Amino acid sequence: MYVISVAAQLSGLHPQTLRTYERVGLITPGRTGGGGRRYSYRDIERLREIAQLTASGIGIEGVKRILDLENAVTALRVRNAELVAELEAAREALRQAAAARPAVPRSNLPALPSATVGQSVVVWRRNP
């Protein structure tokens, strides 16, 4: 954890710029019991990324939108990986259930519901 002066030096930004970025919501440093800001290494990396984007001519609101979209993409990638793992687990469970089921001889006849035994009579007539 770094105090604001060290974080500013490591990121190449002025401490007032760090306060501005916090005010607009680009970064959220940790706080001490007395209210002092504490920046993590991850915060420093994010500040460097913000500095690169602003140096290339992107405004603060544009930077905020880019970072929000990057966060959304990361969250979607994580969710996609979870869903793929869930799908694979369901497929494996289906394979195991199919393997445990007794083998049924295959035929070319269509599958018909089994009829109850009754008193039905079928009459066949041959044409002469």
Side-chain angles (χ1 to χ4, degrees):
M1 300 302 276
Y2 305 99
V3 296
I4 191 167
S5 60
V6 175
Q9 189 177 23
L10 290 173
S11 64
L13 300 169
H14 192 274
Q16 190 61 40
T17 306
L18 273 61
R19 291 183 192 98
T20 302
Y21 288 169
E22 181 184 1
R23 194 169 39 257
V24 297
L26 290 175
I27 190 123
T28 307
R31 294 284 182 165
T32 63
R37 292 171 177 87
R38 294 293 183 260
Y39 293 86
S40 67
Y41 182 75
R42 184 173 160 201
D43 293 332
I44 303 297
E45 289 299 315
R46 186 168 187 145
L47 287 168
R48 288 177 180 161
E49 183 181 0
I50 293 168
Q52 287 176 346
L53 290 170
T54 55
S56 67
I58 299 172
I60 296 297
E61 288 302 316
V63 170
K64 189 174 182 180
R65 182 72 175 141
I66 288 170
L67 294 176
D68 287 344
L69 289 172
E70 285 178 352
N71 290 337
V73 167
T74 301
L76 288 172
R77 284 186 176 142
V78 168
R79 181 66 178 141
N80 187 46
E82 291 170 354
L83 291 172
V84 166
E86 187 178 326
L87 176 63
E88 286 303 316
R91 284 181 177 163
E92 182 58 30
L94 183 61
R95 280 188 209 102
Q96 290 176 0
R101 190 176 67 205
V104 176
R106 297 193 139 230
S107 74
N108 291 334
L109 297 176
L112 298 175
S114 59
T116 58
V117 177
Q119 299 297 320
S120 302
V121 176
V122 177
V123 178
W124 291 90
R125 185 186 309 178
R126 277 197 151 148
N127 289 336

